[in-house]
Amino acid sequence: MSVPLAVVVKGWPRLSETFIAQELVALEDAGHRFDIWSLRHPTDTKTHPLHDCLRARVRYLPEYLYQDPVRVWRARAAARSLPGYAAAYEIWRQDLTRDQDKNRIRRFGQACVLATELPPGTQGLYAHFLHTPASVARYAAIMRGLPWGFSAHAKDIWTSPDWEIAEKLADDGTGAAFGATCTAYGARQLRRLAADPARIDLVYHGLDLSRFPDPPERALRHASDPLRLLSVGRLVEKKGFDRLIAALALLPDGLDWNWTHIGGGPLGEALAKQAQQAAIADRIVWRGACDQPEVIAAMRATDLFVLPSRVASDGDRDGLPNVLMEAASQRLPILSTAVSAIPEFIETGVHGRLSDDTPAALASAMTEMARDPAGTAAMAEAALHRLRAEFVMQPGIDHLSARLSAMLNGARSG
């Protein structure tokens, strides 16, 4: 049986990208057939139950070209006979002139492998993330004369140069047939750069609440009770955990608190050292990477979810982190920041609290929420209601499914 669609991802599976797994499982349930082509091999030692639900075949492209030179050079030789190879090569050379990075070379090599190894019957490509995966998908699609589309998220929008995004959205036969993005904040940026803004769709990930337990009936916390804090997110600059640690050190002596962090990342050692220097390490539990059931269990056993997102020095930033919706699904009060698309879900004072990302402001917000259990609980209830009313998964999946079907049907008729 032919597989009409090739889905290109940066890595598979990844614990931090449950939104991709959720979407792909839902697209399979909607009748789409596809293979997953991953640019990288997995680094996480755990997987989510969602990954086990996926039936698609997973294929791995050469992560580094030197690791599989025979496969790469065989693909390069075969790619030269493809109808769009010359056009793809010229576009890549222009890209390389403006972005003289070895990663750009790797993208073209991976694209040659992808283009020459796509099974017969492939009618289109769909990339998750607008930077590297979309580049590989675009070069390969041009070589094969196939349409392609993408979903963009956060870092890929805000750290890619405008010229590259504009060319991936060009109306010249080489740009994407459509692009989806998961926030209105990101959609405005992409529509600004698109030749045809109508090809950019706002598609919130939302949650498939059928995969989550019903929220617990939480007893009202007393203001004098210990405050159990939880954060879930990669230990990278844009998550703001350095400022949260500084804020925790500012909490008043009369507040009994502890903080649990879930997630891995490159800043783990530096943040643990920061906590030691602030003399609060004994109040912190670093759990590392956890699967989704473990995350949900932790949410059900805590009092306040804190995600102090900020804009990183290289421009990277969150979109609308799914983990905020996961917290809301468990009636867990939320403290975050008014960064990027977070206010699209959390209206401060209604569905949670949005603070400045300074340590003093974060400490003040945590203290005020701890001292007002009733008001904090009311905001958690409102966030749960909004999630159920406006941020469930299915409407977005229906829209994306229609876009993919239109792209593939266009390829068949063409």
Side-chain angles (χ1 to χ4, degrees):
M1 180 183 294
S2 64
V3 180
L5 184 65
V7 176
V8 183
V9 299
K10 192 164 187 179
W12 184 271
R14 284 185 164 181
L15 283 175
S16 62
E17 295 175 357
T18 53
F19 56 92
I20 296 179
Q22 173 184 265
E23 175 194 289
L24 295 183
V25 169
L27 287 174
E28 277 194 334
D29 291 344
H32 289 274
R33 301 191 313 280
F34 50 83
D35 289 342
I36 296 174
W37 295 80
S38 178
L39 309 188
R40 293 181 179 273
H41 289 271
T43 57
D44 296 318
T45 58
K46 296 184 177 183
T47 60
H48 293 307
L50 266 173
H51 293 126
D52 297 330
C53 296
L54 201 70
R55 301 183 297 274
R57 178 179 177 180
V58 182
R59 303 168 183 251
Y60 291 94
L61 296 169
E63 187 165 339
Y64 296 98
L65 303 185
Y66 69 82
Q67 293 175 333
D68 199 347
V70 173
R71 185 183 180 193
V72 172
W73 285 110
R74 184 188 300 121
R76 177 75 187 277
R80 291 175 185 272
S81 65
L82 295 175
Y85 176 82
Y89 180 78
E90 180 59 29
I91 288 171
W92 171 71
R93 290 291 301 178
Q94 293 173 5
D95 292 346
L96 186 63
T97 299
R98 293 169 289 186
D99 176 24
Q100 297 179 2
D101 188 283
K102 61 183 179 182
N103 289 332
R104 183 70 64 175
I105 299 172
R106 184 168 65 203
R107 294 177 200 179
F108 193 75
Q110 289 175 319
C112 288
V113 175
L114 176 59
T116 55
E117 294 185 4
L118 284 173
T122 302
Q123 295 162 349
L125 295 87
Y126 170 57
H128 260 288
F129 289 104
L130 186 51
H131 49 6
T132 308
S135 291
V136 174
R138 182 188 183 213
Y139 298 145
I142 295 169
M143 291 181 202
R144 290 288 299 265
L146 295 173
W148 68 282
F150 67 85
S151 276
H153 302 290
K155 179 178 182 178
D156 49 333
I157 298 173
W158 302 106
T159 62
S160 297
D162 284 0
W163 63 262
E164 183 170 9
I165 294 177
E167 290 179 12
K168 287 175 177 173
L169 299 176
D171 194 13
D172 62 358
T174 69
F178 76 93
T181 190
C182 51
T183 67
Y185 181 72
R188 285 192 294 271
Q189 173 71 352
L190 295 181
R191 287 168 180 159
R192 181 180 70 84
L193 297 169
D196 178 8
R199 292 213 305 268
I200 302 300
D201 295 333
L202 169 60
V203 181
Y204 286 115
H205 298 308
L207 288 189
D208 179 0
L209 292 177
S210 69
R211 299 184 185 277
F212 290 79
D214 290 337
E217 294 295 336
R218 296 179 179 271
L220 189 62
R221 198 186 144 265
H222 294 291
S224 59
D225 289 344
L227 180 67
R228 299 168 298 176
L229 302 158
L230 174 68
S231 297
V232 180
R234 295 192 68 238
L235 296 170
V236 293
E237 183 186 0
K238 70 178 179 180
K239 297 297 185 180
F241 293 129
D242 56 336
R243 297 184 181 177
L244 178 56
I245 291 171
L248 293 172
L250 298 176
L251 291 176
D253 292 339
L255 180 60
D256 183 10
W257 62 270
N258 60 75
W259 177 52
T260 297
H261 176 271
I262 292 176
L267 298 182
E269 185 176 340
L271 292 171
K273 183 178 180 181
Q274 180 187 351
Q276 287 281 358
Q277 292 173 340
I280 58 172
D282 60 338
R283 293 173 175 258
I284 297 174
V285 175
W286 303 95
R287 289 191 55 184
C290 293
D291 62 27
Q292 193 170 59
E294 292 171 317
V295 171
I296 297 303
M299 289 178 170
R300 294 169 70 87
T302 198
D303 302 311
L304 180 61
F305 188 82
V306 186
L307 187 66
S309 301
R310 62 188 174 101
V311 179
S313 54
D314 65 353
D316 190 12
R317 67 202 74 180
D318 276 327
L320 174 53
N322 264 36
V323 73
L324 294 177
M325 290 180 279
E326 292 172 5
S329 80
Q330 300 306 302
R331 205 180 264 114
L332 178 59
I334 295 168
L335 168 61
S336 192
T337 52
V339 168
S340 189
I342 292 173
E344 294 176 34
F345 178 55
I346 301 294
E347 181 182 348
T348 191
V350 178
H351 311 101
R353 180 78 177 266
L354 299 183
S355 167
D356 293 338
D357 64 357
T358 62
L362 289 167
S364 176
M366 284 186 284
T367 302
E368 290 174 12
M369 294 181 81
R371 291 174 175 171
D372 182 16
T376 298
M379 289 188 288
E381 194 66 37
L384 174 61
H385 179 77
R386 187 173 199 197
L387 171 68
R388 289 170 169 171
E390 302 177 42
F391 286 87
V392 291
M393 174 194 70
Q394 199 57 48
I397 292 298
D398 292 343
H399 187 93
L400 183 59
S401 177
R403 275 291 206 182
L404 288 168
S405 295
M407 181 181 77
L408 298 175
N409 288 335
R412 293 186 193 106
S413 63

